[in-house]
Structures are given as C-alpha cells and as structure tokens.
Amino acid sequence: LSDTLGLLRRVLYLDPNNTAAAELLMELYQRCGLMTETLRLSQELLAREPNNRVAMKSKAIALASGAPRFVQPIHDPPWSSW
C-alpha cells in the first residue's frame, strides 16, 4: 500500500494535472485514514476542476472526519524527506 501511495504521489509530482491519479490517491488516503492529505488533495483538484465530483465527495468526507478546514498545498515532492 505504501508503494502505491508513493507511486501515485510521484505521478502527481511529474504530472500535477493527472486527474485520474489524484482521484485514486484521494481514495487511498481515505482508506488509510489520512484525512488531512485527502482534504489537501481535494482542495488542489477542486481549484483546477471545481465540478469534480470525486474531489467534492473526498472533501466532504475529510471535513466530516474532523480534518482541519484550512491546509496549505504541498509544493515539494513528497519523497524529498525520505
């Protein structure tokens, strides 16, 4: 599972507009209980695609779980700290 998360993060770093990868990553974040990450990614996707239903649903789930309402976007590659 962690390998899949890492690969999807890398895909998004290399291609930030890859909607399919973003949607899959949000789903995995939710399954892992990573709601702050779910919220951050849903906000980034909604900024680009305001009518994306997967991102809307993910954002609602993350907020309902108690994730903080305002999170900063990530600009560094997620693997830079590995």
Side-chain angles (χ1 to χ4, degrees):
L1 188 59
S2 65
D3 289 341
T4 305
L5 287 171
L7 288 172
L8 287 170
R9 287 175 179 158
R10 183 158 174 82
V11 168
L12 284 178
Y13 177 73
L14 296 172
D15 182 7
N17 295 318
N18 189 323
T19 300
E23 290 174 350
L24 285 171
L25 187 55
M26 280 186 293
E27 183 180 330
L28 285 177
Y29 280 157
Q30 287 173 42
R31 288 183 184 188
C32 294
L34 301 170
M35 293 304 166
T36 300
E37 289 84 351
T38 301
L39 181 58
R40 178 180 291 117
L41 187 53
S42 68
Q43 289 174 335
E44 290 175 5
L45 185 53
L46 286 169
R48 231 179 30 248
E49 298 179 24
N51 296 319
N52 185 298
R53 290 178 184 238
V54 174
M56 285 184 215
K57 180 180 175 183
S58 294
K59 182 176 180 178
I61 291 169
L63 289 172
S65 76
R69 289 189 170 271
F70 302 103
V71 293
Q72 296 294 321
I74 297 175
H75 297 289
D76 294 327
W79 59 87
S80 63
S81 61
W82 297 347

